[in-house]
Amino acid sequence: MSTHQQSGPEREWKRWHEWRTGQVSDPHGPLSLAGTHWLPEHPDGRLPAVPGVWRDDGDAVLLTARPEDGIRLDGEPFTGETRLAADRAPVPGARVAAGDRRLFVMHREGEWAVRDFDPGTPARRFFTGIQVTPYDPRWVRPGVFHPYEEVRAIRVENADGRERGLHLSGELAFTLEGTGHTLQVVQEDDDSLWAVFADATSGQDSYRFRFLRPGRPAPDGGVTVDFNRALLPPCAFAAHFICPFPPPGNTLPVAVTAGERQVLAG
């Protein structure tokens, strides 16, 4: 029998991992994304396997539905025309539904798109878990956030092959095995940090890049950098996501053998 006693941080990490597994396998979680349909690519308004007619109407999307489309709007059967703003709520709260599916309206860099979240996707059906490295306190490092004087807007390639903007707020400095490193980070609306990074395991022992969300820095810039909670990006679960690749300088020269590594499927 193992004599290993879990520490408080290790127990918290285990609960986090269990939550993550449930979150991605939720009926409308990342595994359920069946398509991202950009309206400029469908000038007739007909989206593949999506009921209704969807058109760019400038500052909104114009949806036209017939009774046979089986569309619901705000939980009620809908026919006719309506203008839709971008959905802000979590996916289950999307205003438009068709059966168990959620049709999520999004707007990126001047273009409208509709995402089709279908609980019946093969990815969700065959998902067996997330390969993850066991918790190791050595991968929990003190860090310092150094904000830029002004946000730096750069263009980076996304998983769908397009380039899109990434607005970098500053650098996160930390040490690994006595060597200093930095990652360029985005500061979210709630002041928490987000980094897209790769390392020496990327594309080999782990997915080609990962996310890190260290939380909100203290007033002095201090923040805990915990690679045990390195995340697989949404595009690891469904190819229809448009995750940004790491910006220049965000590929660490060391092997980060911690956190989420790959999606497991049976």
Side-chain angles (χ1 to χ4, degrees):
M1 179 180 297
S2 172
T3 59
H4 173 70
Q5 298 294 319
Q6 291 184 344
S7 66
E10 186 174 3
R11 286 193 299 271
E12 291 178 11
W13 174 86
K14 184 176 180 181
R15 286 194 292 268
W16 168 81
H17 174 57
E18 291 170 350
W19 170 83
R20 269 284 290 171
T21 302
Q23 183 256 339
V24 301
S25 60
D26 184 83
H28 299 106
L31 289 160
S32 72
L33 183 60
T36 297
H37 307 292
W38 296 95
L39 298 194
E41 298 175 3
H42 305 280
D44 64 352
R46 297 288 185 180
L47 310 182
V50 174
V53 177
W54 305 75
R55 290 193 173 92
D56 182 339
D57 198 34
D59 60 351
V61 169
L62 183 66
L63 168 62
T64 305
R66 302 169 299 175
E68 57 265 34
D69 290 325
I71 284 177
R72 298 193 311 279
L73 178 66
D74 298 328
E76 299 295 330
F78 173 75
T79 58
E81 285 189 351
T82 189
R83 298 179 83 246
L84 300 167
D87 282 304
R88 301 297 182 190
V91 173
R95 295 189 64 196
V96 181
D100 292 334
R101 295 155 67 188
R102 297 293 181 270
L103 303 174
F104 190 92
V105 177
M106 59 180 281
H107 190 257
R108 296 283 175 86
E109 298 193 339
E111 291 189 357
W112 290 97
V114 176
R115 278 184 163 160
D116 178 9
F117 287 88
D118 182 354
T121 60
R124 182 168 178 266
R125 192 163 61 248
F126 295 116
F127 173 74
T128 60
I130 301 172
Q131 183 186 52
V132 64
T133 304
Y135 180 86
D136 186 337
R138 293 178 300 174
W139 288 106
V140 183
R141 308 298 304 160
V144 179
F145 171 57
H146 300 288
Y148 298 139
E149 289 186 7
E150 295 182 352
V151 172
R152 299 178 183 177
I154 66 169
R155 306 290 291 180
V156 297
E157 187 178 356
N158 284 208
D160 64 350
R162 296 191 189 185
E163 279 195 356
R164 294 184 178 86
L166 188 64
H167 295 82
L168 300 170
S169 307
E171 293 184 355
L172 180 61
F174 53 92
T175 62
L176 293 175
E177 298 181 349
T179 301
H181 301 280
T182 60
L183 290 174
Q184 299 174 88
V185 296
V186 174
Q187 190 160 29
E188 305 275 28
D189 291 341
D190 64 357
D191 291 333
S192 64
L193 305 179
W194 168 55
V196 187
F197 79 97
D199 65 278
T201 72
S202 298
Q204 301 179 61
D205 298 330
S206 66
Y207 190 70
R208 53 184 171 170
F209 61 94
R210 291 181 282 175
F211 288 176
L212 189 67
R213 296 188 179 276
R216 182 184 301 171
D220 65 356
V223 62
T224 298
V225 182
D226 186 357
F227 283 102
N228 291 291
R229 300 197 185 203
L231 299 160
L232 292 175
C235 55
F237 300 97
H240 304 288
F241 284 103
I242 57 172
C243 307
F245 289 172
N250 272 28
T251 297
L252 298 172
V254 297
V256 178
T257 54
E260 296 181 351
R261 309 290 286 277
Q262 300 282 2
V263 177
L264 300 175

